[in-house]
Amino acid sequence: MSQERKISQTFSTSIEVVSLSKYIYADNAATTKLDDKALEAMLPWLREYYGNASQPYSFAREPKKALADARATIATCINAEPEEIFFTSGGTESDNWVIKGRAFSDSSYRATVTSSFEHHAVLRSCAAIEQLRYPVAYMLPTNAGYILPETLRSVITNQTGLVSVMYANNELGSIQPIRKLCDVAHAHGALFHTDAVQVVGHVKIDVRDLGVDFLSASAHKFNGPKGVGFLYVRKGCRILPYADGGAQEFGLRAGTENIAGIVGMATALKVNCDQIKENEDQLRSLEQIIIKRLDTSGILYFRNGGEHTLPGLISLSFPGKDGEAILHRLDLMGICISTGSACDSKKTEISHVLRAIRLDNSAALGTVRVSLGKYNMPEEAEKIAEALIKVCGC
Ligand code: PLP
């Protein structure tokens, strides 16, 4: 199918025609474009070396080595040991595994503490263990979108077994004080998990410096393929197997490995980690183009997420405007942004994240998320700002 195919043909509606090649993609928090090097690295494992890594014959040797190399590459990128990296199908599985795997790993399991603005992969896993009578406490973030160590101190008890706080919020971009939260958890004898799905491959991560016990990541958020991710499990931390079956992933996550996906993930992560500072600088300058244009436009707006945000993620509230209408108007202009997290973008309700930070209804309903990525160019940032001004200024 041609890149130049018109979007209107896909849906057979009469919407304004935008050529796919001219589309400005600014929803990188939902998913990212596959890096060409990752794609190239994946192809041999789909075409030629399709052997099952668990088999004893020599045709399995190459896939087995590819798995080991990918595990080592990923471990190096986050300063972990290869045996601490467990391949999964993505962020959702990694989050489910930790929350449920910790609760079910110990018959005397105690309580979980999390935050009320986690991704649904964590929140719904917590709801599932609550159904089985494992207590869960939910911390509220500040209005700017941060979980403070003192908030954790006020709810954590010696009964807490696991604390789970996301590294950066996917709607606001706010980066949490993970090291400090981790220290509070450990001081109370609890283990610490962070959902780092929005952060891995975008900001330098050192699991030893952070002190976390578990960390979730997803390849498609850092220019890798969809349907693959990993869970970091610090050596010595007990967790129940996620899937029972074969002996893959050190006996903790059964299932024939997705070698091409795993190789693509490791390649994409290495590419991004090798140029993490350059990417961050580029994204900060793109952000500034949009913010400066909005500031000088005279439009009523504010930015959410406080002082410490992910590079390129901008949550903007236009009080009195309709975020969904903004999204659709920009879509017709060939610009792809979001109103909230990808999973919620079909709903018109205020997202649980914006509720958690107590944004008033008028601002919350007029909130959109622009999330830029390494392939965005300055002229695209200009066009996004112009489009927002045009749509929100009338
Ligand atoms: N956690 C966060 C913070 C996310 O943003 C997402 C996806 O949007 C997920 C988890 C789920 O990841 P995946 O799409 O790989 O299942």
Side-chain angles (χ1 to χ4, degrees):
M1 216 179 281
S2 154
Q3 271 286 82
E4 294 296 320
R5 180 175 50 81
K6 307 295 182 202
I7 286 176
S8 59
Q9 288 170 356
T10 319
F11 302 108
S12 61
T13 66
S14 58
I15 61 166
E16 195 177 320
V17 175
V18 178
S19 148
L20 273 184
S21 62
K22 296 208 183 86
Y23 216 79
I24 297 176
Y25 184 74
D27 197 18
N28 288 273
T31 196
T32 56
K33 181 179 187 292
L34 185 63
D35 190 287
D36 283 343
K37 288 199 178 109
L39 175 62
E40 286 303 316
M42 290 169 72
L43 292 176
W45 308 101
L46 295 165
R47 282 198 182 119
E48 295 119 41
Y49 300 104
Y50 52 83
N52 185 327
S54 300
Q55 294 300 86
Y57 41 67
S58 48
F59 190 52
R61 202 176 298 140
E62 290 303 320
K64 211 175 285 174
K65 184 174 177 316
L67 268 184
D69 289 349
R71 209 184 297 281
T73 300
I74 290 171
T76 305
C77 288
I78 63 166
N79 195 24
E81 298 293 327
E83 309 72 49
E84 295 175 316
I85 305 297
F86 293 80
F87 298 127
T88 66
S89 64
T92 300
E93 181 184 320
S94 298
D95 287 345
N96 271 258
W97 187 5
V98 178
I99 304 292
K100 296 173 186 170
R102 273 301 301 161
F104 307 154
S105 69
D106 183 349
S107 57
S108 63
Y109 183 78
R110 300 160 298 164
T112 300
V113 174
T114 188
S115 82
S116 53
F117 74 164
E118 295 294 311
H119 189 270
H120 281 132
V122 166
L123 288 178
R124 292 189 178 141
S125 297
C126 286
I129 63 168
E130 276 187 291
Q131 294 264 317
L132 299 171
R133 300 192 188 287
Y134 294 98
V136 181
Y138 297 88
M139 298 180 284
L140 267 188
T142 63
N143 296 123
Y146 294 86
I147 300 295
L148 303 177
E150 48 267 40
T151 309
L152 178 56
R153 249 179 243 116
S154 70
V155 294
I156 197 166
T157 69
N158 291 340
Q159 293 304 304
T160 306
L162 181 75
V163 176
S164 178
V165 177
M166 66 202 318
Y167 202 146
N169 184 272
N170 49 306
E171 287 188 43
L172 307 170
S174 50
I175 299 179
Q176 306 304 313
I178 295 300
R179 171 79 249 185
K180 290 183 178 153
L181 293 167
C182 206
D183 287 346
V184 176
H186 288 161
H188 287 78
L191 296 180
F192 193 93
H193 164 243
T194 190
D195 171 346
V197 164
Q198 292 291 341
V199 184
V200 172
H202 301 291
V203 170
K204 190 172 165 19
I205 288 187
D206 181 323
V207 287
R208 301 270 172 252
D209 276 357
L210 278 178
V212 295
D213 302 297
F214 306 100
L215 179 143
S216 304
S218 174
H220 76 101
K221 307 287 187 177
F222 53 80
N223 308 100
K226 292 172 180 59
V228 60
F230 67 88
L231 178 66
Y232 159 79
V233 180
R234 189 171 60 77
K235 229 181 247 168
C237 290
R238 206 174 121 67
I239 189 164
L240 209 72
Y242 184 71
D244 298 309
Q248 293 93 348
E249 298 306 297
F250 313 108
L252 289 184
R253 198 273 189 181
T256 303
E257 300 90 345
N258 171 8
I259 311 266
I262 290 166
V263 169
M265 168 165 67
T267 308
L269 185 58
K270 170 118 179 64
V271 169
N272 278 15
C273 287
D274 284 350
Q275 57 192 38
I276 214 148
K277 179 79 177 75
E278 292 89 322
N279 287 350
E280 187 169 347
D281 290 347
Q282 179 198 339
L283 291 174
R284 292 286 179 218
S285 77
L286 296 182
E287 267 179 31
Q288 279 317 302
I289 292 175
I290 296 180
I291 296 297
K292 277 194 186 135
R293 290 278 285 116
L294 289 176
D295 281 349
T296 51
S297 70
I299 281 183
L300 175 63
Y301 96 98
F302 58 87
R303 181 177 181 175
N304 303 296
E307 295 291 304
H308 197 36
T309 51
L310 276 176
L313 200 157
I314 322 173
S315 168
L316 299 165
S317 290
F318 299 93
K321 303 290 176 191
D322 177 350
E324 280 229 3
I326 301 173
L327 181 153
H328 290 302
R329 292 279 305 276
L330 261 65
D331 189 26
L332 293 177
M333 296 159 99
I335 298 171
C336 190
I337 61 164
S338 156
T339 49
S341 69
C343 321
D344 283 351
S345 62
K346 289 199 199 95
K347 298 186 200 161
T348 49
E349 301 135 41
I350 294 168
S351 78
H352 71 285
V353 172
L354 301 183
R355 283 211 185 286
I357 60 166
R358 282 93 62 208
L359 212 55
D360 72 59
N361 281 2
S362 157
L365 287 169
T367 299
V368 293
R369 176 186 71 184
V370 176
S371 50
L372 303 158
K374 66 177 182 175
Y375 296 116
N376 286 119
M377 306 302 280
E379 50 278 21
E380 292 182 320
E382 296 279 1
K383 284 188 182 148
I384 294 168
E386 271 164 35
L388 285 170
I389 292 164
K390 188 167 171 203
V391 169
C392 300
C394 46

